Amino acid sequence: MNVPARRRAAAFVFVALFVLAQALLWFAYYTHGAKALIGDEQTYHDTALAILAGGAWMPSSIWPPLQPLMLAALYGVFGAHVLVAQIAQTLLFIGCAALLRGLWRDLGGSVAAANWATALFLLAPEIAGYAHWLWPEIPHLFLLLATFRLLARAQRADGRDGGHGASLLVSAALAGVCVGLALLEKSLLSAFWPLLLLAFTRRARPWFAWRGAAAFALALGLVTAPALLHGWRTYGTPTIADSSVYNLWVGLTDRWRSDYVGDMGGAELPAFLASGATPHERNAVYLDKVRGYVADKGVANVLVAQLDRQYFRLFNAKTLLVSQLPGPACAGHLSVYRTSPIVTWLLTVGNDAAHALILAAAAFGLACWRRRIGMLHVIVALFLAYQLALFSLIHVKARFLLPMLPFLCGLAGDVLARAVAPRRDDGALALTPLRLSVGALFAALLLFLAFAPAALDGSCAH
């Protein structure tokens, strides 16, 4: 079979698998009635309906406002149906895949590697499922990937177009808009976004670099200004939403390596909200609790306990999709999907297979990496390190891995592209025995974190 014929066959297989995966997820959600909304999903939905009824546009100091505002806009135009949000988020999910493909090319990946990364992203049930739920994960991920792509475009702009650096300024400003909107969706980037200014360093013409950084910061400030002003007027602090201290307390006091097993997040929230009249008062109360807890247990013991739990929760193969499927509550199954045993099995097997493939292949991709490192690579690496550091302490659920998954898919795509077409070596991988050995050890570690929690916890034996 010649190369064009192979490409057509591969495209046909991918489209068929994508259609089948989507059909199965839609069928699972709506079979025997729609899946029940759970946790924050219900909060976002109810807040959107309240906004449409004339309620406050930013009623909470815990949840950022953009997700309910987006839902309210969709409901207002197309009707208050979850299906409307699911269709919109499915389009954003596909948009995320397109951004990932371009971003991996920006990072020096081959066309084949970028295609494999995109296919892994679109076919993984654990990722595709987020488009059906009302958590802000997909809109936030779209904005995050758009930010990285715009920063890559800003880096390529040399400030000479028309003598005014218009391309740099537009890209920088749009990146600032995306980061601002991402902060209004989730608080994840609150402490990280200043590092994105590194994208404007080491340019041939520093004056244009400073203009780009200023355009980025100004756009970000304008987007977040209404929410910050609301926080200032309401609570005396220019803040969008702050649940960091609460999540730190819950993260320190979690006991299980799987989420939704004895989950303390929802149980502790009423007590947190009742502990003070303002975010500042509540944070002060819970910071005292954190200090007391660390003083009682000892810093070393706390750190050991965190390392023994947090990354199992983050990389767990019992993803948010599997957690919602039928199964024993003692193992962290919410059973809000009312799927038949065969559909439950198909989704679980598909989830586990995709999860294992992405983690294992990404481990080899990282261990065998030899591509030239640029500033965009540094920023991505800092972002991943920031997340790993953050989730060593705060409350972790499996869904918090989602912002890392596109980059894991990219690393896995490098390996799979090399394995399927070894003659088309783009120079991205150094497959030496030592690197392969390191990759194997890294893959074994990630797979252990993913699949060992149930056996280690034995939660259903208690």
Side-chain angles (χ1 to χ4, degrees), residues 117-270:
T118 305
L120 288 172
F121 182 88
L122 288 171
L123 296 178
E126 66 174 294
I127 301 175
Y130 284 104
H132 291 186
W133 310 320
L134 299 187
W135 282 279
E137 302 332 275
I138 289 296
H140 181 269
L141 183 62
F142 180 87
L143 292 166
L144 177 67
L145 294 174
T147 297
F148 283 119
R149 284 233 67 195
L150 287 164
L151 291 178
R153 181 179 175 185
Q155 285 191 313
R156 290 194 297 268
D158 61 8
R160 289 194 296 268
D161 47 321
H164 302 289
S167 178
L168 168 64
L169 295 179
V170 170
S171 298
L174 289 176
V177 169
C178 287
V179 174
L181 292 174
L183 289 169
L184 296 175
E185 278 283 7
K186 287 172 66 72
S187 301
L188 177 65
L189 298 178
S190 297
F192 179 79
W193 72 261
L195 292 179
L196 296 175
L197 293 172
L198 290 172
F200 303 102
T201 62
R202 297 184 181 180
R203 297 183 56 84
R205 303 177 70 180
W207 167 242
F208 288 105
W210 283 111
R211 290 177 65 188
F216 173 87
L218 178 62
L220 189 158
L222 290 175
V223 169
T224 57
L228 293 171
L229 181 60
H230 178 273
W232 180 272
R233 289 176 173 175
T234 307
Y235 307 112
T237 304
T239 184
I240 296 172
D242 183 11
S243 59
S244 57
V245 178
Y246 163 73
N247 278 312
L248 175 60
W249 170 252
V250 177
L252 292 175
T253 55
D254 276 328
R255 288 294 172 265
W256 305 98
R257 295 179 179 88
S258 295
D259 55 12
Y260 298 111
V261 179
D263 188 68
M264 293 301 296
E268 184 69 23
L269 184 58

Side-chain angles (χ1 to χ4, degrees), residues 37 45 156 168 208 259 270 289 359 371 393 399 405 425:
L37 300 180
H45 179 72
R156 290 194 297 268
L168 168 64
F208 288 105
D259 55 12
K289 295 180 69 170
L359 292 184
R371 191 175 295 139
L393 295 174
R399 64 186 169 95
L405 280 171
D425 181 10

Side-chain angles (χ1 to χ4, degrees), residues 77-149:
V77 175
F78 300 104
H81 306 291
V82 172
L83 178 62
V84 171
Q86 291 175 317
I87 293 173
Q89 292 196 147
T90 296
L91 295 176
L92 287 178
F93 164 63
I94 296 172
C96 286
L99 289 170
L100 169 59
R101 186 181 186 279
L103 177 59
W104 206 248
R105 294 287 288 137
D106 292 333
L107 291 168
S110 66
V111 172
N115 288 342
W116 271 103
T118 305
L120 288 172
F121 182 88
L122 288 171
L123 296 178
E126 66 174 294
I127 301 175
Y130 284 104
H132 291 186
W133 310 320
L134 299 187
W135 282 279
E137 302 332 275
I138 289 296
H140 181 269
L141 183 62
F142 180 87
L143 292 166
L144 177 67
L145 294 174
T147 297
F148 283 119
R149 284 233 67 195

